[in-house]
Amino acid sequence: EPIQSKPPSYTHINTNRYNPKNKPKRHPPANESCKCKPSTEDGIFSCGDGCLNRLSYVECVGDKSLKNGEKNPYWNCNCGPSCSNRGVSKRQFAKCRPMREHGKGWGLITVNGVKKGDLVQEYCGEIIDEKTKEERLLAWSRDHPNDPNFYVMHLEPGWYIDAREVANIARFINHSCDPNCKLVPVNVAGFTRVSIVCIKDVEPGGYLSYDYQFDTRHDEKFTCRCGSTNCRGTMKGGKTGSTAQKKTKKQLLAEAKARVQRDKKFLQSIADSEKHRLHLTGVLVPGEREGGSELVAGGPREKYRRAAQEGAVFLWRNARLGADFSSRYWRRMARMKNKSKRRERENLAALSRKLGNVDIFSLLRA
């Protein structure tokens, strides 16, 4: 996997993007309101766990202070600003940011931590139909056969969310067979939107995850390495209910051995890629034809100064000469090893000074 200093680029949006000529029909209003009463105390909100709309996975709508608010056909709550069941529409999400997750590419961490039941994020992207989804998946698998990343999520029958090109930061959340979040479809003023809700407390800096439950026949392409005790070994959705066939010990042992072999190959591929990256730089500057005079060992030339400074590629004063990156890497590793040995000798010397001088001959005669 190529190492990237920044997350892959995409067009950021705050809410789903619809095609005006091809979008799902808006669900009709229920023409009924919840029975919750507005709160008059500061810090106390209405529409809690017992709210009829919340129990029906419908967000509350309605505010008399807004222009034409009472004329909204999707009005279903009289609590106004004190209502606590409007997290998705008001974008009351947890503060998160992308972070590299070892062996999984880019992941998403929570900055301040989240508690069980908190709204974490909304999964946003382009809303596409079945035909468009199939065309995009076919084109992507043809043009990028080695790209395992998958960003299409089911929204409602016949419609999907594609977060590959246009999305929000929820696209970085990785899969886990033992996740700390779950997906909850919510009706917001007639439109279905997918919220991501925390099901376990997550400490600040903790990685967020949910079960992808891929609907695919090629489960071998979506290998799971989440490391949880109940890992299925695949991101494909597992069977549940009475129809699930119980596996024998022999089958479980065979699957475990196969999973170990896959993990060994995966770790070996990471080690090989690290060695390979040390030799990616050649003698000539990239783009220089064979026989050219512009060598990497000569360092960056003056003609590149303006481009490097304007593009913030690197600090010009930090540029160093030398093309033998492999030798530099191993010299650095040797220095680190020598430094560790020197620290051990210093610790040993400090310990001997603390114990003082010991007469070994006297001890032997005794």
Side-chain angles (χ1 to χ4, degrees), residues 15-45:
T15 187
N16 289 326
R17 177 176 292 183
Y18 295 88
N19 181 353
K21 298 181 180 179
N22 184 26
K23 63 180 182 179
K25 292 183 179 180
R26 197 174 184 180
H27 299 284
N31 296 323
E32 60 178 358
S33 300
C34 66
K35 309 302 180 182
C36 305
K37 296 181 180 180
S39 174
T40 57
E41 300 181 28
D42 294 338
I44 304 297
F45 297 95

PDB file of all heavy atoms in Angstrom, residues 15-45:
ATOM      1  N   THR A  15     -23.917  17.640   3.208  1.00  0.00           N
ATOM      2  CA  THR A  15     -25.161  16.879   3.135  1.00  0.00           C
ATOM      3  C   THR A  15     -25.200  16.165   1.796  1.00  0.00           C
ATOM      4  O   THR A  15     -24.404  16.449   0.891  1.00  0.00           O
ATOM      5  CB  THR A  15     -26.383  17.805   3.285  1.00  0.00           C
ATOM      6  OG1 THR A  15     -27.572  17.009   3.368  1.00  0.00           O
ATOM      7  CG2 THR A  15     -26.480  18.760   2.106  1.00  0.00           C
ATOM      8  N   ASN A  16     -26.090  15.201   1.649  1.00  0.00           N
ATOM      9  CA  ASN A  16     -26.145  14.392   0.438  1.00  0.00           C
ATOM     10  C   ASN A  16     -26.367  15.261  -0.805  1.00  0.00           C
ATOM     11  O   ASN A  16     -27.089  16.265  -0.755  1.00  0.00           O
ATOM     12  CB  ASN A  16     -27.266  13.357   0.532  1.00  0.00           C
ATOM     13  CG  ASN A  16     -26.938  12.252   1.521  1.00  0.00           C
ATOM     14  OD1 ASN A  16     -25.779  11.868   1.672  1.00  0.00           O
ATOM     15  ND2 ASN A  16     -27.944  11.729   2.201  1.00  0.00           N
ATOM     16  N   ARG A  17     -25.746  14.837  -1.901  1.00  0.00           N
ATOM     17  CA  ARG A  17     -25.904  15.557  -3.170  1.00  0.00           C
ATOM     18  C   ARG A  17     -26.825  14.749  -4.081  1.00  0.00           C
ATOM     19  O   ARG A  17     -26.571  13.579  -4.361  1.00  0.00           O
ATOM     20  CB  ARG A  17     -24.549  15.772  -3.841  1.00  0.00           C
ATOM     21  CG  ARG A  17     -24.636  16.462  -5.198  1.00  0.00           C
ATOM     22  CD  ARG A  17     -23.262  16.734  -5.782  1.00  0.00           C
ATOM     23  NE  ARG A  17     -22.564  17.747  -5.006  1.00  0.00           N
ATOM     24  CZ  ARG A  17     -21.361  18.218  -5.351  1.00  0.00           C
ATOM     25  NH1 ARG A  17     -20.745  17.750  -6.434  1.00  0.00           N
ATOM     26  NH2 ARG A  17     -20.790  19.150  -4.604  1.00  0.00           N
ATOM     27  N   TYR A  18     -27.893  15.392  -4.548  1.00  0.00           N
ATOM     28  CA  TYR A  18     -28.888  14.740  -5.390  1.00  0.00           C
ATOM     29  C   TYR A  18     -28.770  15.233  -6.834  1.00  0.00           C
ATOM     30  O   TYR A  18     -28.389  16.387  -7.076  1.00  0.00           O
ATOM     31  CB  TYR A  18     -30.301  15.020  -4.888  1.00  0.00           C
ATOM     32  CG  TYR A  18     -30.614  14.442  -3.524  1.00  0.00           C
ATOM     33  CD1 TYR A  18     -30.340  15.167  -2.363  1.00  0.00           C
ATOM     34  CD2 TYR A  18     -31.178  13.184  -3.393  1.00  0.00           C
ATOM     35  CE1 TYR A  18     -30.622  14.644  -1.114  1.00  0.00           C
ATOM     36  CE2 TYR A  18     -31.468  12.657  -2.145  1.00  0.00           C
ATOM     37  CZ  TYR A  18     -31.183  13.388  -1.009  1.00  0.00           C
ATOM     38  OH  TYR A  18     -31.470  12.870   0.234  1.00  0.00           O
ATOM     39  N   ASN A  19     -29.098  14.349  -7.764  1.00  0.00           N
ATOM     40  CA  ASN A  19     -29.240  14.733  -9.158  1.00  0.00           C
ATOM     41  C   ASN A  19     -30.673  15.220  -9.357  1.00  0.00           C
ATOM     42  O   ASN A  19     -31.619  14.437  -9.188  1.00  0.00           O
ATOM     43  CB  ASN A  19     -28.950  13.544 -10.069  1.00  0.00           C
ATOM     44  CG  ASN A  19     -29.054  13.890 -11.545  1.00  0.00           C
ATOM     45  OD1 ASN A  19     -29.467  15.002 -11.918  1.00  0.00           O
ATOM     46  ND2 ASN A  19     -28.702  12.942 -12.407  1.00  0.00           N
ATOM     47  N   PRO A  20     -30.880  16.498  -9.697  1.00  0.00           N
ATOM     48  CA  PRO A  20     -32.258  17.017  -9.809  1.00  0.00           C
ATOM     49  C   PRO A  20     -33.133  16.236 -10.781  1.00  0.00           C
ATOM     50  O   PRO A  20     -34.358  16.179 -10.619  1.00  0.00           O
ATOM     51  CB  PRO A  20     -32.047  18.461 -10.295  1.00  0.00           C
ATOM     52  CG  PRO A  20     -30.642  18.799  -9.902  1.00  0.00           C
ATOM     53  CD  PRO A  20     -29.869  17.526  -9.995  1.00  0.00           C
ATOM     54  N   LYS A  21     -32.493  15.608 -11.779  1.00  0.00           N
ATOM     55  CA  LYS A  21     -33.266  14.877 -12.785  1.00  0.00           C
ATOM     56  C   LYS A  21     -33.443  13.405 -12.445  1.00  0.00           C
ATOM     57  O   LYS A  21     -34.182  12.694 -13.132  1.00  0.00           O
ATOM     58  CB  LYS A  21     -32.577  15.003 -14.149  1.00  0.00           C
ATOM     59  CG  LYS A  21     -32.479  16.433 -14.662  1.00  0.00           C
ATOM     60  CD  LYS A  21     -31.799  16.474 -16.018  1.00  0.00           C
ATOM     61  CE  LYS A  21     -31.698  17.909 -16.532  1.00  0.00           C
ATOM     62  NZ  LYS A  21     -31.019  17.967 -17.857  1.00  0.00           N
ATOM     63  N   ASN A  22     -32.754  12.954 -11.400  1.00  0.00           N
ATOM     64  CA  ASN A  22     -32.845  11.535 -11.043  1.00  0.00           C
ATOM     65  C   ASN A  22     -32.578  11.380  -9.554  1.00  0.00           C
ATOM     66  O   ASN A  22     -31.437  11.197  -9.129  1.00  0.00           O
ATOM     67  CB  ASN A  22     -31.840  10.716 -11.860  1.00  0.00           C
ATOM     68  CG  ASN A  22     -31.967   9.231 -11.606  1.00  0.00           C
ATOM     69  OD1 ASN A  22     -33.022   8.731 -11.238  1.00  0.00           O
ATOM     70  ND2 ASN A  22     -30.874   8.503 -11.797  1.00  0.00           N
ATOM     71  N   LYS A  23     -33.615  11.493  -8.754  1.00  0.00           N
ATOM     72  CA  LYS A  23     -33.466  11.375  -7.309  1.00  0.00           C
ATOM     73  C   LYS A  23     -34.672  10.646  -6.714  1.00  0.00           C
ATOM     74  O   LYS A  23     -35.747  10.604  -7.345  1.00  0.00           O
ATOM     75  CB  LYS A  23     -33.323  12.756  -6.669  1.00  0.00           C
ATOM     76  CG  LYS A  23     -34.520  13.671  -6.834  1.00  0.00           C
ATOM     77  CD  LYS A  23     -34.249  15.013  -6.148  1.00  0.00           C
ATOM     78  CE  LYS A  23     -35.455  15.941  -6.245  1.00  0.00           C
ATOM     79  NZ  LYS A  23     -35.205  17.234  -5.548  1.00  0.00           N
ATOM     80  N   PRO A  24     -34.504  10.059  -5.539  1.00  0.00           N
ATOM     81  CA  PRO A  24     -35.619   9.312  -4.938  1.00  0.00           C
ATOM     82  C   PRO A  24     -36.776  10.227  -4.569  1.00  0.00           C
ATOM     83  O   PRO A  24     -36.592  11.412  -4.283  1.00  0.00           O
ATOM     84  CB  PRO A  24     -34.980   8.687  -3.693  1.00  0.00           C
ATOM     85  CG  PRO A  24     -33.789   9.538  -3.400  1.00  0.00           C
ATOM     86  CD  PRO A  24     -33.297  10.032  -4.711  1.00  0.00           C
ATOM     87  N   LYS A  25     -37.971   9.654  -4.592  1.00  0.00           N
ATOM     88  CA  LYS A  25     -39.159  10.427  -4.235  1.00  0.00           C
ATOM     89  C   LYS A  25     -39.164  10.711  -2.736  1.00  0.00           C
ATOM     90  O   LYS A  25     -38.764   9.884  -1.930  1.00  0.00           O
ATOM     91  CB  LYS A  25     -40.426   9.665  -4.627  1.00  0.00           C
ATOM     92  CG  LYS A  25     -40.615   9.525  -6.135  1.00  0.00           C
ATOM     93  CD  LYS A  25     -41.924   8.814  -6.450  1.00  0.00           C
ATOM     94  CE  LYS A  25     -42.129   8.706  -7.957  1.00  0.00           C
ATOM     95  NZ  LYS A  25     -43.401   8.012  -8.290  1.00  0.00           N
ATOM     96  N   ARG A  26     -39.647  11.872  -2.411  1.00  0.00           N
ATOM     97  CA  ARG A  26     -39.727  12.264  -1.006  1.00  0.00           C
ATOM     98  C   ARG A  26     -40.878  11.518  -0.329  1.00  0.00           C
ATOM     99  O   ARG A  26     -41.985  11.434  -0.869  1.00  0.00           O
ATOM    100  CB  ARG A  26     -39.952  13.771  -0.912  1.00  0.00           C
ATOM    101  CG  ARG A  26     -39.662  14.375   0.437  1.00  0.00           C
ATOM    102  CD  ARG A  26     -39.768  15.888   0.366  1.00  0.00           C
ATOM    103  NE  ARG A  26     -39.396  16.528   1.620  1.00  0.00           N
ATOM    104  CZ  ARG A  26     -39.404  17.834   1.819  1.00  0.00           C
ATOM    105  NH1 ARG A  26     -39.768  18.646   0.816  1.00  0.00           N
ATOM    106  NH2 ARG A  26     -39.052  18.341   2.992  1.00  0.00           N
ATOM    107  N   HIS A  27     -40.607  10.966   0.841  1.00  0.00           N
ATOM    108  CA  HIS A  27     -41.645  10.228   1.554  1.00  0.00           C
ATOM    109  C   HIS A  27     -42.736  11.196   2.016  1.00  0.00           C
ATOM    110  O   HIS A  27     -42.441  12.310   2.473  1.00  0.00           O
ATOM    111  CB  HIS A  27     -41.054   9.500   2.759  1.00  0.00           C
ATOM    112  CG  HIS A  27     -40.019   8.488   2.387  1.00  0.00           C
ATOM    113  ND1 HIS A  27     -40.329   7.260   1.852  1.00  0.00           N
ATOM    114  CD2 HIS A  27     -38.658   8.519   2.456  1.00  0.00           C
ATOM    115  CE1 HIS A  27     -39.218   6.574   1.620  1.00  0.00           C
ATOM    116  NE2 HIS A  27     -38.190   7.325   1.975  1.00  0.00           N
ATOM    117  N   PRO A  28     -43.988  10.800   1.919  1.00  0.00           N
ATOM    118  CA  PRO A  28     -45.080  11.704   2.323  1.00  0.00           C
ATOM    119  C   PRO A  28     -45.068  11.945   3.828  1.00  0.00           C
ATOM    120  O   PRO A  28     -44.609  11.100   4.601  1.00  0.00           O
ATOM    121  CB  PRO A  28     -46.329  10.951   1.880  1.00  0.00           C
ATOM    122  CG  PRO A  28     -45.931   9.512   1.851  1.00  0.00           C
ATOM    123  CD  PRO A  28     -44.493   9.498   1.439  1.00  0.00           C
ATOM    124  N   PRO A  29     -45.560  13.100   4.290  1.00  0.00           N
ATOM    125  CA  PRO A  29     -45.608  13.381   5.740  1.00  0.00           C
ATOM    126  C   PRO A  29     -46.592  12.473   6.450  1.00  0.00           C
ATOM    127  O   PRO A  29     -47.580  12.000   5.873  1.00  0.00           O
ATOM    128  CB  PRO A  29     -46.051  14.847   5.789  1.00  0.00           C
ATOM    129  CG  PRO A  29     -46.746  15.093   4.496  1.00  0.00           C
ATOM    130  CD  PRO A  29     -46.083  14.219   3.478  1.00  0.00           C
ATOM    131  N   ALA A  30     -46.318  12.209   7.727  1.00  0.00           N
ATOM    132  CA  ALA A  30     -47.174  11.318   8.521  1.00  0.00           C
ATOM    133  C   ALA A  30     -48.398  12.040   9.056  1.00  0.00           C
ATOM    134  O   ALA A  30     -49.345  11.393   9.525  1.00  0.00           O
ATOM    135  CB  ALA A  30     -46.373  10.725   9.678  1.00  0.00           C
ATOM    136  N   ASN A  31     -48.392  13.376   9.023  1.00  0.00           N
ATOM    137  CA  ASN A  31     -49.526  14.184   9.487  1.00  0.00           C
ATOM    138  C   ASN A  31     -49.873  13.928  10.954  1.00  0.00           C
ATOM    139  O   ASN A  31     -51.049  13.919  11.337  1.00  0.00           O
ATOM    140  CB  ASN A  31     -50.764  13.933   8.614  1.00  0.00           C
ATOM    141  CG  ASN A  31     -50.549  14.383   7.179  1.00  0.00           C
ATOM    142  OD1 ASN A  31     -49.901  15.399   6.935  1.00  0.00           O
ATOM    143  ND2 ASN A  31     -51.069  13.606   6.236  1.00  0.00           N
ATOM    144  N   GLU A  32     -48.845  13.715  11.769  1.00  0.00           N
ATOM    145  CA  GLU A  32     -49.048  13.580  13.201  1.00  0.00           C
ATOM    146  C   GLU A  32     -47.787  14.067  13.922  1.00  0.00           C
ATOM    147  O   GLU A  32     -46.682  13.997  13.383  1.00  0.00           O
ATOM    148  CB  GLU A  32     -49.366  12.141  13.602  1.00  0.00           C
ATOM    149  CG  GLU A  32     -48.300  11.122  13.251  1.00  0.00           C
ATOM    150  CD  GLU A  32     -48.672   9.729  13.715  1.00  0.00           C
ATOM    151  OE1 GLU A  32     -49.739   9.582  14.331  1.00  0.00           O
ATOM    152  OE2 GLU A  32     -47.906   8.796  13.444  1.00  0.00           O
ATOM    153  N   SER A  33     -47.973  14.558  15.145  1.00  0.00           N
ATOM    154  CA  SER A  33     -46.875  15.121  15.917  1.00  0.00           C
ATOM    155  C   SER A  33     -46.615  14.279  17.154  1.00  0.00           C
ATOM    156  O   SER A  33     -47.491  13.541  17.627  1.00  0.00           O
ATOM    157  CB  SER A  33     -47.185  16.569  16.337  1.00  0.00           C
ATOM    158  OG  SER A  33     -47.389  17.386  15.207  1.00  0.00           O
ATOM    159  N   CYS A  34     -45.411  14.402  17.674  1.00  0.00           N
ATOM    160  CA  CYS A  34     -45.087  13.711  18.917  1.00  0.00           C
ATOM    161  C   CYS A  34     -45.804  14.408  20.074  1.00  0.00           C
ATOM    162  O   CYS A  34     -46.259  15.539  19.964  1.00  0.00           O
ATOM    163  CB  CYS A  34     -43.581  13.683  19.150  1.00  0.00           C
ATOM    164  SG  CYS A  34     -42.845  15.306  19.428  1.00  0.00           S
ATOM    165  N   LYS A  35     -45.883  13.735  21.210  1.00  0.00           N
ATOM    166  CA  LYS A  35     -46.619  14.256  22.377  1.00  0.00           C
ATOM    167  C   LYS A  35     -45.694  14.931  23.392  1.00  0.00           C
ATOM    168  O   LYS A  35     -46.130  15.253  24.506  1.00  0.00           O
ATOM    169  CB  LYS A  35     -47.375  13.107  23.061  1.00  0.00           C
ATOM    170  CG  LYS A  35     -48.240  12.272  22.116  1.00  0.00           C
ATOM    171  CD  LYS A  35     -49.281  13.127  21.396  1.00  0.00           C
ATOM    172  CE  LYS A  35     -50.126  12.275  20.452  1.00  0.00           C
ATOM    173  NZ  LYS A  35     -51.109  13.108  19.701  1.00  0.00           N
ATOM    174  N   CYS A  36     -44.453  15.160  23.008  1.00  0.00           N
ATOM    175  CA  CYS A  36     -43.497  15.768  23.938  1.00  0.00           C
ATOM    176  C   CYS A  36     -43.843  17.238  24.181  1.00  0.00           C
ATOM    177  O   CYS A  36     -44.406  17.918  23.321  1.00  0.00           O
ATOM    178  CB  CYS A  36     -42.076  15.651  23.386  1.00  0.00           C
ATOM    179  SG  CYS A  36     -41.581  13.961  22.998  1.00  0.00           S
ATOM    180  N   LYS A  37     -43.470  17.718  25.378  1.00  0.00           N
ATOM    181  CA  LYS A  37     -43.730  19.107  25.742  1.00  0.00           C
ATOM    182  C   LYS A  37     -42.424  19.902  25.737  1.00  0.00           C
ATOM    183  O   LYS A  37     -41.385  19.387  26.132  1.00  0.00           O
ATOM    184  CB  LYS A  37     -44.376  19.173  27.127  1.00  0.00           C
ATOM    185  CG  LYS A  37     -45.740  18.502  27.185  1.00  0.00           C
ATOM    186  CD  LYS A  37     -46.337  18.629  28.580  1.00  0.00           C
ATOM    187  CE  LYS A  37     -47.713  17.965  28.640  1.00  0.00           C
ATOM    188  NZ  LYS A  37     -48.318  18.076  30.001  1.00  0.00           N
ATOM    189  N   PRO A  38     -42.489  21.147  25.295  1.00  0.00           N
ATOM    190  CA  PRO A  38     -41.270  21.971  25.260  1.00  0.00           C
ATOM    191  C   PRO A  38     -40.693  22.163  26.662  1.00  0.00           C
ATOM    192  O   PRO A  38     -41.426  22.280  27.648  1.00  0.00           O
ATOM    193  CB  PRO A  38     -41.748  23.299  24.664  1.00  0.00           C
ATOM    194  CG  PRO A  38     -43.036  22.983  23.994  1.00  0.00           C
ATOM    195  CD  PRO A  38     -43.657  21.860  24.760  1.00  0.00           C
ATOM    196  N   SER A  39     -39.371  22.210  26.735  1.00  0.00           N
ATOM    197  CA  SER A  39     -38.694  22.427  28.002  1.00  0.00           C
ATOM    198  C   SER A  39     -38.440  23.923  28.187  1.00  0.00           C
ATOM    199  O   SER A  39     -38.047  24.624  27.250  1.00  0.00           O
ATOM    200  CB  SER A  39     -37.368  21.664  28.033  1.00  0.00           C
ATOM    201  OG  SER A  39     -36.642  21.964  29.199  1.00  0.00           O
ATOM    202  N   THR A  40     -38.650  24.397  29.418  1.00  0.00           N
ATOM    203  CA  THR A  40     -38.438  25.822  29.722  1.00  0.00           C
ATOM    204  C   THR A  40     -37.176  26.055  30.550  1.00  0.00           C
ATOM    205  O   THR A  40     -36.835  27.196  30.846  1.00  0.00           O
ATOM    206  CB  THR A  40     -39.658  26.372  30.490  1.00  0.00           C
ATOM    207  OG1 THR A  40     -39.858  25.588  31.673  1.00  0.00           O
ATOM    208  CG2 THR A  40     -40.910  26.315  29.610  1.00  0.00           C
ATOM    209  N   GLU A  41     -36.485  24.973  30.937  1.00  0.00           N
ATOM    210  CA  GLU A  41     -35.277  25.077  31.751  1.00  0.00           C
ATOM    211  C   GLU A  41     -34.032  25.020  30.866  1.00  0.00           C
ATOM    212  O   GLU A  41     -33.984  24.273  29.883  1.00  0.00           O
ATOM    213  CB  GLU A  41     -35.217  23.939  32.774  1.00  0.00           C
ATOM    214  CG  GLU A  41     -36.393  23.925  33.736  1.00  0.00           C
ATOM    215  CD  GLU A  41     -36.275  22.807  34.749  1.00  0.00           C
ATOM    216  OE1 GLU A  41     -35.127  22.419  35.062  1.00  0.00           O
ATOM    217  OE2 GLU A  41     -37.309  22.307  35.217  1.00  0.00           O
ATOM    218  N   ASP A  42     -33.031  25.803  31.212  1.00  0.00           N
ATOM    219  CA  ASP A  42     -31.767  25.812  30.474  1.00  0.00           C
ATOM    220  C   ASP A  42     -31.034  24.495  30.684  1.00  0.00           C
ATOM    221  O   ASP A  42     -30.908  24.012  31.810  1.00  0.00           O
ATOM    222  CB  ASP A  42     -30.881  26.969  30.931  1.00  0.00           C
ATOM    223  CG  ASP A  42     -31.480  28.328  30.573  1.00  0.00           C
ATOM    224  OD1 ASP A  42     -32.308  28.353  29.638  1.00  0.00           O
ATOM    225  OD2 ASP A  42     -31.126  29.330  31.225  1.00  0.00           O
ATOM    226  N   GLY A  43     -30.534  23.918  29.591  1.00  0.00           N
ATOM    227  CA  GLY A  43     -29.773  22.678  29.675  1.00  0.00           C
ATOM    228  C   GLY A  43     -30.645  21.433  29.698  1.00  0.00           C
ATOM    229  O   GLY A  43     -30.111  20.320  29.686  1.00  0.00           O
ATOM    230  N   ILE A  44     -31.947  21.589  29.748  1.00  0.00           N
ATOM    231  CA  ILE A  44     -32.874  20.453  29.741  1.00  0.00           C
ATOM    232  C   ILE A  44     -33.595  20.448  28.400  1.00  0.00           C
ATOM    233  O   ILE A  44     -34.234  21.429  28.022  1.00  0.00           O
ATOM    234  CB  ILE A  44     -33.891  20.529  30.891  1.00  0.00           C
ATOM    235  CG1 ILE A  44     -33.169  20.642  32.234  1.00  0.00           C
ATOM    236  CG2 ILE A  44     -34.805  19.312  30.856  1.00  0.00           C
ATOM    237  CD1 ILE A  44     -32.308  19.447  32.569  1.00  0.00           C
ATOM    238  N   PHE A  45     -33.477  19.340  27.668  1.00  0.00           N
ATOM    239  CA  PHE A  45     -34.067  19.257  26.328  1.00  0.00           C
ATOM    240  C   PHE A  45     -35.226  18.277  26.306  1.00  0.00           C
ATOM    241  O   PHE A  45     -35.288  17.334  27.098  1.00  0.00           O
ATOM    242  CB  PHE A  45     -33.002  18.832  25.319  1.00  0.00           C
ATOM    243  CG  PHE A  45     -31.871  19.808  25.190  1.00  0.00           C
ATOM    244  CD1 PHE A  45     -30.704  19.633  25.926  1.00  0.00           C
ATOM    245  CD2 PHE A  45     -31.975  20.899  24.357  1.00  0.00           C
ATOM    246  CE1 PHE A  45     -29.658  20.523  25.828  1.00  0.00           C
ATOM    247  CE2 PHE A  45     -30.934  21.806  24.233  1.00  0.00           C
ATOM    248  CZ  PHE A  45     -29.775  21.621  24.970  1.00  0.00           C
TER     249      PHE A  45
END
